[in-house]
Amino acid sequence: MAATAREDGVRNLAQGPRGCEHYDRACLLKAPCCDKLYTCRLCHDTNEDHQLDRFKVKEVQCINCEKLQHAQQTCEDCSTLFGEYYCSICHLFDKDKRQYHCESCGICRIGPKEDFFHCLKCNLCLTTNLRGKHKCIENVSRQNCPICLEDIHTSRVVAHVLPCGHLLHRTCYEEMLKEGYRCPLCMHSALDMTRYWRQLDTEVAQTPMPSEYQNVTVDILCNDCNGRSTVQFHILGMKCKLCDSYNTAQAGGRRVPVDQQ
């Protein structure tokens, strides 16, 4: 629930629970841009026509004693703990989620820190199991999610790294899989499709084409390995000769043997 503010920017402290729908905290941020009090920058941005710069926040107000004071973790008057976690750079107050501030990202991330590393080329914190095992794309996190077109780098939603190196919000990735399996940017398979390709092998073998199509070939382009090959046309799918993927697209017209023309 976003903090409500009167015209002078002071919240009615008798209303609403501690914190908001975004963060668990016991203070309000004084927005340096408009001098209004909001529980968090997201609440501010939802209600105003401008954005709150988290790095410029200087003052907070305790929700218990209403003391306006410089940003800190504990109230200087009543000793209320504003947040189990506090970052003096981002001015992030929240319950402990094993957060850490990444100097390279410039913002706080949900940890634990030892489970992540910062990829300098991707310019993003990734889980340690992806170290040396992901495809790097320079500054990929500075691009918007191709599904919802919203920011990925500063989003509170976890980013999902596709095999091609592109990023999606985890929630967007899960929704995408309900409709398809390919990266919306490069059409590369977004997950390991090996098992499905083998099932498709069986279906193709059990579904012979009509006699007039049995010797028809077609040029294809593979979206997974970017290779080109000439294969037999089949209505269920055309398999790449280089990597065995069915994630292919027809790259030319069908070819019919001379004796069948």
Side-chain angles (χ1 to χ4, degrees):
M1 177 179 178
T4 58
R6 298 201 300 263
E7 290 184 357
D8 58 0
V10 178
R11 184 188 183 207
N12 182 347
L13 300 180
Q15 298 179 359
R18 168 191 169 104
C20 61
E21 62 183 302
H22 309 110
Y23 300 104
D24 182 340
R25 55 181 56 165
C27 66
L28 304 176
L29 307 181
K30 183 177 180 182
C33 43
C34 58
D35 289 335
K36 293 182 180 180
L37 295 169
Y38 280 95
T39 307
C40 76
R41 63 182 179 86
L42 300 173
C43 293
H44 170 279
D45 294 352
T46 298
N47 289 279
E48 303 294 340
D49 59 1
H50 57 278
Q51 293 186 329
L52 188 157
D53 186 340
R54 71 185 85 180
F55 305 107
K56 293 183 178 180
V57 171
K58 301 297 182 184
E59 295 179 296
V60 298
Q61 184 184 67
C62 177
I63 65 169
N64 290 325
C65 70
E66 302 187 10
K67 170 71 174 181
L68 188 65
Q69 57 203 277
H70 68 277
Q72 55 192 326
Q73 190 169 17
T74 304
C75 179
E76 61 188 40
D77 269 17
C78 68
S79 300
T80 294
L81 183 67
F82 294 150
E84 294 174 345
Y85 174 82
Y86 170 59
C87 174
S88 60
I89 300 174
C90 296
H91 302 299
L92 172 64
F93 300 85
D94 201 6
K95 62 183 178 182
D96 184 14
K97 300 173 184 175
R98 305 189 72 179
Q99 301 96 322
Y100 65 97
H101 182 86
C102 176
E103 293 291 343
S104 298
C105 283
I107 57 176
C108 290
R109 299 292 189 190
I110 294 179
K113 185 176 182 179
E114 58 269 21
D115 288 350
F116 295 84
F117 76 101
H118 186 88
C119 176
L120 294 177
K121 186 171 183 180
C122 293
N123 204 0
L124 179 70
C125 285
L126 301 172
T127 54
T128 53
N129 66 318
L130 290 176
R131 190 188 295 271
K133 298 179 182 178
H134 70 285
K135 181 178 179 180
C136 289
I137 297 179
E138 191 166 1
N139 285 325
V140 66
S141 73
R142 299 313 197 265
Q143 302 172 8
N144 289 341
C145 173
I147 300 293
C148 67
L149 303 180
E150 294 186 2
D151 178 63
I152 289 180
H153 184 72
T154 61
S155 175
R156 298 175 69 245
V157 180
V158 176
H160 181 83
V161 185
L162 301 181
C164 57
H166 291 122
L167 297 181
L168 304 177
H169 290 121
R170 174 63 61 83
T171 50
C172 292
Y173 169 73
E174 293 171 351
E175 286 298 313
M176 182 196 74
L177 291 183
K178 296 177 181 179
E179 304 293 336
Y181 66 89
R182 294 183 291 196
C183 170
L185 293 177
C186 67
M187 305 303 286
H188 191 285
S189 294
L191 68 166
D192 185 359
M193 298 290 290
T194 303
R195 184 176 178 180
Y196 179 72
W197 296 155
R198 301 298 73 82
Q199 292 177 348
L200 200 51
D201 279 340
T202 301
E203 292 181 22
V204 169
Q206 295 176 348
T207 312
M209 294 291 290
S211 57
E212 61 267 30
Y213 288 100
Q214 287 183 359
N215 295 318
V216 174
T217 59
V218 65
D219 294 330
I220 62 170
L221 172 65
C222 179
N223 291 317
D224 286 340
C225 72
N226 295 319
R228 292 177 178 270
S229 53
T230 301
V231 300
Q232 184 175 352
F233 173 77
H234 199 285
I235 193 65
L236 294 181
M238 291 163 285
K239 181 177 177 179
C240 174
K241 287 185 176 180
L242 303 177
C243 71
D244 293 336
S245 168
Y246 279 92
N247 182 11
T248 60
Q250 187 170 321
R254 300 170 189 171
R255 299 176 183 175
V256 182
V258 175
D259 59 355
Q260 294 186 16
Q261 293 182 357

